[in-house]
Amino acid sequence: AQTVTQSQPEMSVQEAETVTLSCTYDTSESDYYLFWYKQPPSRQMILVIRQEAYKQQNATENRFSVNFQKAAKSFSLKISDSQLGDAAMYFCAYAGTASKLTFGTGTRLQVTL
Amino acid sequence: NAGVMQNPRHLVRRRGQEARLRCSPMKGHSHVYWYRQLPEEGLKFMVYLQKENIIDESGMPKERFSAEFPKEGPSILRIQQVVRGDSAAYFCASSPSPGAFTDTQYFGPGTRLTVL
């Protein structure tokens, strides 16, 4: 079975600074996808970024980028130029051939002035 | 293009009653997933459905829980004889096409179930 581990329950970053959220996973599959979802206080799950395992190039979406290390099974999220609206729970998720998403336990990100 | 719709957004039930949660996928999406989020936890997979078929129910509790996605109408997650431990946020997600593991799942706003 696949597992996803987020070892940082809480992180804090100052506005305009950069923060990196960690995620590791365990799988025996070779084809899979990895995701970061954001859950603000409204509890809506919002897709932040997605990475295909077969792609070596790290995904980027505006201020959000990932550092995907397939051999190490590591998938960290970097948020640049942090904004107050980035404050939320961030969940790392894995999807393999079984289609369902396996989520980590989340990292609560605080953004301070 | 409307997103994934869930209703009700909030549902209060007394112990022993039935809870019925509805999910309408995004237009053009034929795959529906249900997840449960207990307080202060991540989302846990419950069931994966296509129209008129249950594809994977490995995350569903063996008793009291059932799900369907009929040919017409929304997907329904039904919880019979609710207990306090069923209190959680229930999220529905949809994805577009066969080979769904390659597709991103888009989430609805969730239904928060409170059992008194």
Side-chain angles (χ1 to χ4, degrees):
Chain A
Q2 292 76 30
T3 59
V4 177
T5 302
Q6 293 180 251
S7 59
Q8 304 157 315
E10 291 191 8
M11 292 284 284
S12 183
V13 63
Q14 282 193 320
E15 199 177 18
E17 297 296 310
T18 296
V19 64
T20 298
L21 308 184
S22 301
C23 173
T24 59
Y25 60 95
D26 189 26
T27 183
S28 57
E29 296 178 315
S30 56
D31 290 333
Y32 52 88
Y33 288 73
L34 296 163
F35 304 85
W36 280 96
Y37 282 89
K38 170 185 177 181
Q39 188 177 45
S42 67
R43 301 185 71 86
Q44 174 78 50
M45 294 291 287
I46 301 165
L47 176 68
V48 175
I49 200 164
R50 149 190 162 128
Q51 174 79 43
E52 295 92 335
Y54 64 86
K55 287 188 177 179
Q56 292 187 338
Q57 187 173 6
N58 289 324
T60 299
E61 289 287 342
N62 300 313
R63 297 182 296 107
F64 298 87
S65 61
V66 298
N67 183 6
F68 174 48
Q69 302 289 328
K70 190 172 184 179
K73 294 180 181 169
S74 171
F75 182 61
S76 60
L77 174 70
K78 185 171 83 171
I79 306 174
S80 304
D81 186 25
S82 297
Q83 301 175 358
L84 293 177
D86 295 333
M89 283 290 288
Y90 285 82
F91 291 98
C92 179
Y94 169 102
T97 54
S99 298
K100 62 188 179 186
L101 287 169
T102 300
F103 286 88
T105 51
T107 296
R108 186 179 303 278
L109 178 66
Q110 292 183 324
V111 182
T112 59
L113 292 171
Chain B
N1 188 11
V4 179
M5 309 287 284
Q6 288 188 251
N7 66 82
R9 294 291 307 276
H10 300 276
L11 182 61
V12 179
R13 286 287 180 264
R14 296 189 181 279
R15 282 178 295 170
Q17 292 183 321
E18 178 179 285
R20 193 171 295 201
L21 288 62
R22 295 175 180 77
C23 169
S24 296
M26 289 177 70
K27 186 175 181 181
H29 286 197
S30 58
H31 299 241
V32 166
Y33 307 78
W34 286 94
Y35 296 85
R36 177 166 65 175
Q37 185 177 32
L38 295 171
E40 305 303 320
E41 294 188 12
L43 280 70
K44 296 283 174 55
F45 169 78
M46 299 182 74
V47 63
Y48 164 32
L49 309 105
Q50 294 177 22
K51 288 282 189 182
E52 300 184 282
N53 282 305
I54 296 175
I55 306 302
D56 181 355
E57 56 181 349
S58 59
M60 286 280 271
K62 293 288 186 280
E63 298 178 349
R64 303 187 296 106
F65 285 73
S66 62
E68 63 178 4
F69 189 16
K71 186 176 180 181
E72 301 292 336
S75 175
I76 306 287
L77 179 68
R78 184 182 291 109
I79 311 172
Q80 296 178 304
Q81 299 177 332
V82 296
V83 301
R84 288 220 175 104
D86 297 332
S87 296
Y90 292 82
F91 288 91
C92 169
S94 72
S95 66
S97 62
F101 96 99
T102 64
D103 292 322
T104 299
Q105 295 180 25
Y106 295 91
F107 282 80
T111 294
R112 183 170 295 192
L113 172 65
T114 301
V115 180
L116 301 177

